[in-house]
Amino acid sequence: MKLHSQILGEGQPFIILHGFLGMSDNWKTLGNKFSEAGFQVHLVDQRNHGRSFHDDEFSYEDLSNDLKTYCSDHQLKDIILLGHSMGGKTAMLFATEYPELVSKLLVADISPRFYPIHHDAILEGLSSLDFQQIKSRGAADEQLSRYVQEPGTRMFLLKNLYWIEKGQLALRINLEVLKENVSEVGEALPIHSKFEKPTLFLRGDKSEYVMPTDEKLIKQHFPLAEIETISNAGHWLHAENPTDFYDTVIKFTSLI
């Protein structure tokens, strides 16, 4: 089973992995900018997300193996690998398992530590969407607002909506499997995993996903890691401050 991706531009391979309940489309604008900077950008949908395949198995080991297969299929090496949130955890594990394929690693607003489950309201809200009754995006937004108050978060989640056929909406994500395996999303990086090449952790200044107390753990796994803070940004730092995010990434990726 192969991962779906959007491939933009030519040059050194630059793989971008979205977060939990996201998809490659979330990165299209920045992906185009990175491709214009001279990279071949691969916007990848991870399993059970976007247009990629659905499967009952869902763990970071599965996601890392999927990416290894993708790299083999596309004959990719000397990769720049960027992951956000859940995608950052996948990227961390992949880089430690296949360091020979990765030249630089970038991790957006997640650390290697364990995170407790905190998506309950979101998953409950998505589960409440009855597409026998809901026939428009507006109606879906209204229903989801009973569980998720923040409009920006709802807009992000509702990007998963698509028309199966005229008049029939559905979700692209494999919601049941993601609900069953949501505890996997918070799993810590295995204790002895290590990647000893250039690594950049980016955190939003309004986010609590990467805290000062995480720095010691980050350096244990990634001895060459740098940590940069993106101002005026929370967990979705690439969407909330795309200019500073882009500039910081380009500076890091352009270093010899």
Side-chain angles (χ1 to χ4, degrees):
M1 290 181 284
K2 296 184 178 182
L3 296 176
H4 174 270
S5 69
Q6 303 177 60
I7 302 174
L8 312 168
E10 294 295 333
Q12 183 180 7
F14 188 158
I15 296 177
I16 300 180
L17 302 176
H18 61 80
F20 186 57
L21 306 176
M23 64 179 76
S24 58
D25 283 355
N26 303 146
W27 286 86
K28 193 74 179 286
T29 302
L30 273 169
N32 279 317
K33 286 196 71 177
F34 290 133
S35 72
E36 289 163 7
F39 296 102
Q40 183 185 69
V41 178
H42 294 252
L43 304 179
V44 174
D45 284 331
Q46 300 186 86
R47 69 165 62 193
N48 295 321
H49 290 76
R51 292 175 175 82
S52 280
F53 62 89
H54 288 187
D55 194 277
D56 289 344
E57 299 298 320
F58 188 77
S59 69
Y60 283 117
E61 195 62 48
D62 294 320
L63 299 178
S64 178
N65 290 339
D66 290 345
L67 188 57
K68 175 62 167 65
T69 300
Y70 180 87
C71 290
S72 297
D73 288 345
H74 291 269
Q75 298 181 315
L76 302 180
K77 57 185 180 179
D78 190 30
I79 297 159
I80 293 171
L81 180 58
L82 164 61
H84 171 243
S85 199
M86 179 190 83
K89 284 278 185 80
T90 305
M92 283 187 251
L93 182 60
F94 181 86
T96 62
E97 290 186 323
Y98 307 105
E100 70 281 3
L101 294 179
V102 181
S103 62
K104 290 180 179 177
L105 173 66
L106 299 98
V107 180
D109 215 54
I110 200 79
S111 100
R113 66 177 158 91
F114 168 79
Y115 290 78
I117 294 171
H118 56 281
H119 298 96
D120 296 9
I122 284 174
L123 292 171
E124 194 178 342
L126 290 170
S127 298
S128 78
L129 298 176
D130 178 359
F131 295 115
Q132 298 305 311
Q133 306 293 327
I134 292 171
K135 299 298 179 184
S136 71
R137 291 177 179 273
D141 185 50
E142 184 180 344
Q143 172 63 21
L144 195 58
S145 70
R146 298 173 186 174
Y147 298 83
V148 181
Q149 292 182 335
E150 213 283 301
T153 304
R154 291 202 308 276
M155 187 171 74
F156 163 77
L157 294 169
L158 292 172
K159 286 185 176 179
N160 285 292
L161 283 181
Y162 76 111
W163 298 99
I164 300 180
E165 57 188 52
K166 189 173 182 180
Q168 185 60 58
L169 283 164
L171 290 169
R172 290 199 184 278
I173 51 172
N174 188 351
L175 183 58
E176 289 309 310
V177 167
L178 295 179
K179 282 167 59 180
E180 286 170 19
N181 295 279
V182 65
S183 61
E184 295 287 339
V185 178
E187 284 298 308
L189 190 66
I191 191 166
H192 296 301
S193 297
K194 189 169 278 194
F195 178 71
E196 299 183 84
K197 291 184 181 180
T199 304
L200 178 64
F201 280 74
L202 302 109
R203 62 176 296 274
D205 67 341
K206 298 176 184 174
S207 172
E208 296 183 349
Y209 274 74
V210 181
M211 303 299 287
T213 50
D214 291 322
E215 185 168 348
K216 183 180 178 184
L217 180 63
I218 287 170
K219 290 294 180 78
Q220 285 174 3
H221 289 290
F222 306 97
L224 300 183
E226 303 167 34
I227 303 170
E228 294 272 359
T229 299
I230 304 298
S231 62
N232 301 312
H235 185 53
W236 282 279
L237 62 176
H238 56 290
E240 294 168 44
N241 189 347
T243 301
D244 286 359
F245 185 88
Y246 172 83
D247 290 344
T248 305
V249 169
I250 285 294
K251 182 180 176 184
F252 176 75
T253 56
S254 300
L255 295 174
I256 302 302

